[in-house]
Amino acid sequence: MEHVMIIILGLIILIAAAVVAVAGIFTNTGSAHAVNGAFSVFGHHMTGSTGTLFLFGIIVGAAAMLGLGLLLVGARRTSRRGIEARHALRHSRRETVAAGKDRDDLIEQRDSARAESASAGRERDDLAQQRDDLAEQRDDLITGQKPLTTPVPQDTETPGTEAVPTDGTHRGLHLFGHRPAHR
């Protein structure tokens, strides 16, 4: 609503200026209103009435207002582009910070996954070594080559394995469940 009032006020002032210009031109014509002293502009000698002089003043003033208006419009556009550029720069910096944070999070997740993978690989290798040791002990007991030299620790029992009986009977180690001995 405030913008409409400014536009209406501008139109009223423009109409009033046009009325004064037309009245000034037509009331100052003729030989009674002749310019007594000749004056020159850019080497060109001007003669005529004060109305003609007033008309030239209006034309020069309009050209000056047009130039000033263009200057202000250009400055406003430049200012607006500068504001938009600063806004875009701030937005870009925020995106860069967010992308950097996401990248750091992904690097942390990758490092964590690598550590877990390495830990799982070591655990798998340890379990494979225990399995191989137990299989070797079983094979040695079956063939009767050497006695059980390293007992299986009680805290790391593998489900489904059985210890060798001390009464001389051979039942064998079973890694994957219970299996009766062959007779």
Side-chain angles (χ1 to χ4, degrees):
M1 187 68 168
E2 187 177 309
H3 300 293
V4 174
M5 295 299 287
I6 292 173
I7 292 172
I8 292 172
L9 181 63
L11 283 174
I12 291 171
I13 292 171
L14 183 62
I15 291 170
V19 169
V20 169
V22 169
I25 292 170
F26 287 117
T27 58
N28 291 305
T29 57
S31 61
H33 297 283
V35 176
N36 293 334
F39 64 94
S40 66
V41 176
F42 298 117
H44 182 64
H45 293 292
M46 305 294 289
T47 59
S49 67
T50 55
T52 306
L53 183 60
F54 188 65
L55 177 64
F56 287 142
I58 291 172
I59 292 171
V60 170
M65 291 299 290
L66 178 64
L68 181 63
L70 291 174
L71 178 69
L72 293 175
V73 167
R76 188 177 310 135
R77 285 186 182 170
T78 302
S79 173
R80 192 176 313 136
R81 275 190 244 145
I83 290 170
E84 290 172 358
R86 283 189 296 275
H87 176 71
L89 179 63
R90 275 188 237 117
H91 182 70
S92 174
R93 285 181 179 165
R94 276 187 241 125
E95 285 181 348
T96 301
V97 168
K101 185 178 181 303
D102 290 345
R103 181 195 52 156
D104 292 343
D105 290 345
L106 288 173
I107 288 172
E108 185 177 317
Q109 289 174 0
R110 181 197 66 198
D111 292 345
S112 175
R114 283 182 178 171
E116 287 177 16
S117 175
S119 174
R122 282 190 299 272
E123 188 175 319
R124 182 193 68 231
D125 292 344
D126 290 344
L127 289 173
Q129 183 62 39
Q130 285 178 358
R131 181 200 66 216
D132 293 345
D133 290 345
L134 289 172
E136 185 179 318
Q137 289 175 4
R138 180 200 66 210
D139 292 343
D140 289 345
L141 288 172
I142 289 173
T143 58
Q145 292 179 353
K146 63 179 180 178
L148 182 62
T149 57
T150 56
V152 177
Q154 297 297 326
D155 60 340
T156 60
E157 283 188 26
T158 306
T161 60
E162 298 177 12
V164 177
T166 57
D167 60 358
T169 61
H170 178 325
R171 292 180 42 169
L173 290 174
H174 301 286
L175 294 175
F176 302 105
H178 178 67
R179 184 171 49 163
H182 294 284
R183 296 185 187 224

